[in-house]
Amino acid sequence: MSDLVPRLDNDTSHIDSGDTAWILVSAVLVFIMSPGIGYFYSGMARSKNAVSLVFLCMVAMAVVSVQWMIWGYSLALSDTSNSPFIGNLSYGLLLNVGDKPHANAPTIPGNVYAIFQCMFAALTPALALGGAAERIRIFPAILFCFVWTTIVYDPIAYWSWAPKGWINVMGALDYAGGTPVHIASGFGALAFSLVLGKRQGFGHEKFEPHNYLNIILGTSLL
């Protein structure tokens, strides 16, 4: 009989403790990918830039986490927006999230789903920073992560994952972020590298990976 009762918006009776625990573990595993990509990039670069590349990837995590709280989650995954292109601000500052399940994840609390998705959002600009390796400073990287996530990642994530996103409505199944994470970061890295141009000393100095162990460690974490 309980299945015949209409479900309220704030109903948490369908939350499953096992699903919630697994998504929290998954969020931690995705978080580990951020230092993983940093170690991978640091091993591929020259030794004088190794630390800065790991640091930049962790900066991306910090910056995007703030952006995600302000409006990123709402723009990317709002389940109350009727637009096929971008979400509304109903979850701005993570208001109205709480324990209420998201339409995409009816068996876990909404705040757990927001944290899990935040890890993907933070990883994506870190991937794109590979196109700017050895050619970008900290403050421009911070600005890039915040702005790029807002105007590129969030809309594409909405298209792919939000209930009313136009790619999702067409029936596309994107389980691992192939569109908003990998395609977006790949083209973002390409655009970044074209804008910045060649490294100083390119063609005159040796640009060789300085630490293969870092590459292996980063690959293993990824």
Side-chain angles (χ1 to χ4, degrees):
M1 291 296 292
S2 60
D3 293 337
L4 301 178
V5 178
R7 186 176 173 190
L8 301 177
D9 289 340
N10 60 352
D11 181 18
T12 60
S13 62
H14 290 70
I15 290 178
D16 183 270
S17 59
D19 291 351
T20 302
W22 173 241
I23 294 300
L24 287 172
V25 170
S26 299
V28 172
L29 294 174
V30 180
F31 169 81
I32 293 174
M33 294 178 72
S34 287
I37 193 68
Y39 275 108
F40 178 81
Y41 285 159
S42 71
M44 293 290 291
R46 292 177 292 178
S47 58
K48 66 178 183 178
N49 296 297
V51 175
S52 66
L53 284 169
V54 177
F55 182 71
L56 283 175
C57 290
M58 299 312 296
V59 164
M61 171 64 68
V63 172
V64 175
S65 294
V66 174
Q67 187 270 355
W68 198 247
M69 179 197 70
I70 296 173
W71 57 43
Y73 176 64
S74 193
L75 293 176
L77 289 160
S78 173
D79 54 2
T80 60
S81 174
N82 292 319
S83 170
F85 302 109
I86 192 69
N88 54 29
L89 294 177
S90 61
Y91 294 139
L93 298 177
L94 295 185
L95 298 175
N96 305 316
V97 178
D99 293 336
K100 183 182 71 173
H102 189 277
N104 288 354
T107 62
I108 65 174
N111 46 23
V112 172
Y113 182 69
I115 293 171
F116 174 66
Q117 288 290 351
C118 178
M119 298 299 102
F120 285 100
L123 175 67
T124 307
L127 291 170
L129 287 173
E134 303 183 323
R135 288 167 293 165
I136 190 171
R137 297 182 180 180
I138 299 299
F139 181 75
I142 291 174
L143 186 63
F144 166 79
C145 290
F146 193 96
V147 174
W148 187 88
T149 302
T150 300
I151 65 176
V152 177
Y153 178 84
D154 291 346
I156 298 177
Y158 183 86
W159 302 348
S160 303
W161 288 328
K164 296 295 179 65
W166 67 272
I167 296 178
N168 191 21
V169 171
M170 289 177 64
L173 299 176
D174 191 336
Y175 295 114
T179 303
V181 177
H182 302 293
I183 294 178
S185 64
F187 277 99
L190 175 61
F192 214 161
S193 63
L194 292 175
V195 170
L196 293 178
K198 296 180 180 180
R199 292 170 171 82
Q200 293 183 356
F202 184 80
H204 304 286
E205 301 177 15
K206 286 186 177 181
F207 288 83
E208 297 179 351
H210 89 281
N211 192 322
Y212 290 100
L213 291 180
N214 275 15
I215 298 173
I216 295 171
L217 174 61
T219 303
S220 300
L221 292 175
L222 290 172

